[in-house]
């Protein structure tokens, strides 16, 4: 029997000695897992000999350095200035839920920075602001679990509107990793302050093709981007998320430039209204997504009368014209804005994500 196994392994290119070595390596890995579990979040220094023995079996993640900066941090030079610096605020919210119509902000963080378009880098941190706010309702257990924010933490707390206005006084670009959500939450909270609701926004989730910048990146989740590039941070607290995003913009080559190029361009959201059912496959294959207001409460205020439709966003006038021609040929020979075969709208950084 043993001879048969050895003969089979040999035919497959695995000798008995190699198999024994492989099993030993697997056992070492299983032992290292137990050591890691016993250490919790502490780095398992006991594994250093095992790492030295088989470095290919381990991956080292480093804490993102910027996340060590604390609230109130001011004037930290990150790079030599390019001489063309502009203001940016990286913003994140923690909320009572995911529905912008019913949820409330329980934490707002803003990291004010200066960036150089020519260098494609953030050159300095100007301030780190983070404040909790009482939503005057009990936090769901899931919110407490994810954020670590408790009812006692937010009790009686209120965002300092004066501090927020001061950070945004020079009309900076606001950047978030899900601007479609954060802008809605932010502008709902500060709707009574019109100067805060008409600023340009950029979205690192939808406006940067991360995988094209680094082939290790396969997910657009912020934590996943950090992990793929060799870093980690304590996520789901707003200021830490902002500082981690700042690190990614500065250390994934081309990320900030890609964002700025997108921010400076117009986008065109095309709604294929009244498309026949039989066109659904062609639309989906062409990159259109299905909108159903019963499942998505982020209904755009400028087109509230349509409950269901296919839509697509493109980033150039040429692409827009191609889509109109595609839809005209696909299902509507006489598409015009008047007959409502298509409804579209051009958006800039000032109007996107509203």
């Amino acid at each position: 029997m043993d001879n048969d196994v050895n003969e089979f392994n040999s035919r497959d290119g695995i000798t008995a000695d190699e198999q024994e070595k492989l099993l030993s390596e697997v056992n070492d890995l299983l032992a290292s897992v137990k050591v890691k579990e016993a250490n919790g979040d502490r780095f398992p220094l006991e594994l250093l000999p095992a790492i030295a023995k088989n470095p290919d079996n381990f991956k080292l993640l480093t804490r993102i350095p910027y996340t060590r900066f604390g609230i109130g941090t001011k004037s930290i030079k990150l790079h030599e200035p390019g001489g063309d610096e502009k203001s940016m605020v990286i913003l994140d919210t923690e909320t009572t839920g995911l529905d912008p119509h019913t949820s409330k902000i329980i934490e707002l963080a803003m990291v004010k920075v200066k960036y150089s378009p020519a260098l494609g880098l953030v050159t300095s941190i100007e301030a780190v602001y983070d404040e909790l706010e009482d939503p005057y309702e009990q936090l769901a257990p899931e919110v407490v679990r994810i954020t670590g924010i408790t009812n006692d933490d937010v009790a009686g707390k209120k965002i300092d509107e004066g501090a927020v206005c001061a950070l945004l006084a020079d009309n900076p670009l606001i950047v978030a990793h899900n601007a479609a959500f954060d802008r809605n939450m932010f502008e709902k909270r500060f709707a009574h302050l019109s100067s805060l609701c008409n600023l340009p926004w950029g979205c690192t989730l939808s406006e940067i093709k991360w995988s094209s910048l680094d082939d290790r990146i396969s997910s657009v989740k912020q934590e996943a981007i950090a992990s793929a590039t060799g870093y980690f941070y304590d996520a789901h607290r707003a200021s830490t998320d902002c500082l981690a995003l700042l690190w990614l913009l500065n250390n994934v080559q081309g990320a900030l430039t890609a964002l700025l190029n997108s921010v400076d361009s117009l986008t065109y959201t095309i709604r294929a209204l009244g498309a026949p059912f039989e066109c659904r496959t062609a639309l989906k294959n062409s990159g259109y997504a299905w909108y159903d207001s019963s499942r998505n409460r982020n209904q755009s205020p400028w087109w509230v009368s349509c409950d269901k439709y296919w839509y697509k966003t493109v980033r150039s006038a040429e692409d827009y014209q191609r889509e109109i021609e595609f839809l005209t040929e696909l299902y509507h020979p006489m598409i015009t804005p008047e007959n409502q075969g298509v409804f579209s709208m051009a958006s800039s950084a000032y109007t996107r994500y509203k």
Side-chain angles (χ1 to χ4, degrees), residues 60-311:
L60 179 64
L61 296 181
T62 303
R63 184 183 297 277
I64 290 180
Y66 295 176
T67 62
R68 305 303 293 175
F69 297 143
I71 299 166
T73 293
K74 294 182 179 180
S75 301
I76 294 179
K77 182 179 177 181
L78 302 177
H79 294 277
E80 290 296 330
D84 60 341
E85 272 65 26
K86 296 182 179 181
S87 291
M88 175 193 296
V89 167
I90 300 174
L91 181 148
D92 187 47
T93 62
E94 301 296 341
T95 63
T96 58
L98 298 178
D99 185 342
H101 291 85
T102 59
S103 300
K104 299 176 183 177
I105 291 176
I106 57 174
E107 183 179 27
L108 171 67
M110 296 191 295
V111 176
K112 181 73 173 284
V113 302
K114 294 290 186 180
Y115 69 94
S116 165
L119 296 177
L121 289 171
V122 174
T123 55
S124 67
I125 296 175
E126 301 297 307
V128 179
Y129 173 83
D130 193 318
E131 188 60 76
L132 298 172
E133 180 155 276
D134 193 338
Y136 297 104
E137 61 184 60
Q138 288 293 300
L139 300 180
E142 184 70 1
V143 172
V144 175
R145 184 188 68 79
I146 292 173
T147 66
I149 300 172
T150 67
N151 290 292
D152 289 341
D153 291 333
V154 298
K157 298 293 180 60
K158 187 174 179 60
I159 294 170
D160 183 343
E161 294 186 355
V164 173
C165 289
L167 284 170
L168 300 176
D170 59 346
N171 300 318
L173 171 66
I174 303 178
V175 172
H177 196 61
N178 185 4
F181 180 79
D182 288 307
R183 181 168 193 169
N184 273 281
M185 293 302 305
F186 179 82
E187 294 190 352
K188 183 179 75 168
R189 168 60 179 82
F190 297 101
H192 59 293
L193 299 172
S194 59
S195 64
L196 302 186
C197 299
N198 294 290
L199 296 171
W201 283 70
C203 181
T204 54
L205 177 66
S206 64
E207 297 186 61
I208 299 177
K209 294 182 179 178
W210 292 96
S211 60
S212 69
L213 302 177
D214 189 322
D215 58 15
R216 295 174 296 175
I217 300 173
S218 59
S219 170
V220 294
K221 291 184 178 180
Q222 188 173 307
E223 285 180 87
I225 297 169
S227 179
T229 54
Y231 295 90
F232 78 96
Y233 62 100
D234 299 323
H236 301 302
R237 285 306 299 267
S239 60
T240 305
D241 286 349
C242 290
L243 289 163
L245 183 55
L246 168 57
W247 171 267
L248 295 175
L249 285 172
N250 257 9
N251 288 275
V252 176
Q253 188 171 5
L256 181 57
T257 297
L259 175 65
L260 296 177
N261 288 341
S262 177
V263 164
D264 288 340
S265 66
L266 289 176
T267 57
Y268 303 84
T269 300
I270 303 163
R271 286 157 171 79
L273 308 178
F277 180 77
E278 57 269 21
C279 294
R280 67 192 186 284
T281 300
L283 288 165
K284 187 175 181 180
N285 290 342
S286 188
Y288 283 77
W290 179 248
Y291 177 89
D292 184 341
S293 63
S294 66
R295 287 186 257 171
N296 187 337
R297 299 184 182 180
N298 284 327
Q299 177 74 338
S300 175
W302 52 268
W303 191 245
V304 295
S305 62
C306 254
D307 292 330
K308 299 178 182 181
Y309 49 79
W310 291 92
Y311 72 95

Side-chain angles (χ1 to χ4, degrees), residues 336-350:
T336 67
E338 289 72 27
N339 66 31
Q340 316 239 318
V342 170
F343 191 90
S344 61
M345 182 176 184
S347 300
S348 70
Y350 289 88

